[in-house]
Amino acid sequence: MGATTEPASGARVRGTIRYWAAAKSEAGLAEEPYEAATLAEALAAARARHADRPKLVQLLGHCSYLVDGAQVGGRDHATVALTEGGTVEVLPPFAGG
């Protein structure tokens, strides 16, 4: 099984969250590790880690997400399984689109 294999139900995996544009600025860093089973869990942990950065916490509610290069779109973040060694890209809204 490679990095694109979904974990067993509820299995926590490790990967990287990458912040882009305004999210990067508000986070004060370009990337950080996650240990979570789902996108919702990874984002909840990021919000908790950055509780002292309320603009980032608010911005995360408006961002688009890519998980291992695939758009999450309108899917419930609790149903988006993360993969071992995977990447979550945090894309804030961009002007004009």
Side-chain angles (χ1 to χ4, degrees), residues 8-31:
S9 179
R12 294 171 64 96
V13 294
R14 293 182 181 171
T16 302
I17 296 177
R18 290 191 182 135
Y19 297 103
W20 295 98
K24 180 179 175 180
S25 178
E26 292 300 335
L29 47 81
E31 61 183 48

Side-chain angles (χ1 to χ4, degrees), residues 8-93:
S9 179
R12 294 171 64 96
V13 294
R14 293 182 181 171
T16 302
I17 296 177
R18 290 191 182 135
Y19 297 103
W20 295 98
K24 180 179 175 180
S25 178
E26 292 300 335
L29 47 81
E31 61 183 48
E32 63 185 343
Y34 68 74
E35 185 173 337
T38 66
L39 177 58
E41 189 179 319
L43 293 175
R47 286 183 184 98
R49 273 192 307 277
H50 298 287
D52 61 335
R53 295 178 174 267
K55 287 183 180 180
L56 174 64
V57 172
Q58 181 181 19
L59 183 61
L60 290 175
H62 300 285
C63 289
S64 296
Y65 298 95
L66 300 177
V67 173
D68 298 334
Q71 292 182 3
V72 172
R75 288 185 287 162
D76 180 346
H77 294 170
T79 66
V80 180
L82 300 178
T83 58
E84 184 66 36
T87 303
V88 172
E89 308 279 348
V90 180
L91 307 169

